Amino acid sequence: RSSSQDPFRIYAHFLDMTAMPEAESWSLQQIVIPSVVKWYSNVLRVYNLEENWRLSQTTCSSLVAVPGDHQNPGLPNTDYVLYVFAVNETTKNYIAKGGFCALDGNSLTNPTAGFLGYNVAFYTALTPEQEIMVARHEVAHALAFSPSLWPYFRQPDGSLYSSYTTTVTQRGHSVTLLTFPKTLARARTAFG
């Protein structure tokens, strides 16, 4: 990796989008996803990969077949690949879902690939602003905000957190809360 932190380079790779009407697919591919990728690139800095990004596995989760050229020779000027696709799942009530599917395997265990899947059955009547917010939200899951990634979060000194959640009862329901110091500070600022 590079010795200095630079903008995060996300490559959005579009897979099967045929389940989605052409106008919505075009908007996602030409406007929504590029703007979300640009936004994350502006707000996140990383030690960039100096060699081609490569994925050794053949699938991303069970949802995506990884293209052969993503394994070898890989992709230049890339730190993370986001696989984007569309499905029509009328029996499942979600607009979109995102998650990670690969970790770099070095001592930091950073996500290096993820997916963003749109469910056409419920992806209707969104304003352009809502489309961008849905994509940002799901990409956040693909990049870091996933319970299975929390054990890899690091303190400023590089060590892992020994504790990062607590379970409480709120309004009669058991709720798990994040307890990372910055998360708590921001919540206290926002909600008093």
Side-chain angles (χ1 to χ4, degrees):
R1 293 193 176 263
S2 63
S3 59
S4 63
Q5 292 184 347
D6 292 301
F8 191 39
R9 301 170 303 177
I10 300 173
Y11 172 70
H13 183 81
F14 292 91
L15 297 162
D16 187 0
M17 299 294 288
T18 57
M20 184 170 278
E22 191 173 327
E24 281 103 350
S25 176
W26 182 90
S27 176
L28 279 176
Q29 293 181 56
Q30 301 300 317
I31 299 168
V32 174
I33 300 301
S35 73
V36 169
V37 165
K38 183 177 179 183
W39 185 82
Y40 274 106
S41 179
N42 288 335
V43 299
L44 297 176
R45 295 209 173 280
V46 300
Y47 296 102
N48 297 128
L49 287 174
E50 293 181 325
E51 69 279 352
N52 281 0
W53 174 95
R54 289 182 178 86
L55 194 59
S56 60
Q57 61 204 53
T58 58
T59 62
C60 176
S61 184
S62 61
L63 306 168
V64 174
V66 173
D69 63 335
H70 290 193
Q71 297 167 22
N72 192 21
L75 302 170
N77 304 313
T78 301
D79 299 308
Y80 187 95
V81 173
L82 180 68
Y83 294 103
V84 184
F85 59 91
V87 294
N88 189 5
E89 295 185 322
T90 57
T91 60
K92 296 185 180 176
N93 187 8
Y94 71 94
I95 293 172
K97 61 183 171 183
F100 78 98
C101 62
L103 301 172
D104 66 6
N106 70 19
S107 62
L108 295 178
T109 321
N110 295 315
T112 59
F115 63 88
L116 173 52
Y118 286 93
N119 185 5
V120 175
F122 293 93
Y123 189 79
T124 58
L126 295 180
T127 67
E129 294 81 14
Q130 289 170 325
E131 289 177 352
I132 288 173
M133 293 311 295
V134 165
R136 275 190 195 169
H137 173 95
E138 297 305 334
V139 172
H141 289 305
L143 292 175
F145 201 74
S146 172
S148 55
L149 287 173
W150 297 338
Y152 303 115
F153 281 25
R154 299 198 174 264
Q155 298 183 64
D157 68 1
S159 64
L160 295 172
Y161 287 96
S162 59
S163 175
Y164 45 85
T165 62
T166 188
T167 302
V168 298
T169 300
Q170 291 183 344
R171 295 182 217 117
H173 298 280
S174 180
V175 179
T176 300
L177 303 174
L178 286 175
T179 58
F180 295 114
K182 285 188 178 182
T183 306
L184 288 173
R186 294 284 176 122
R188 287 180 179 132
T189 299
F191 302 109

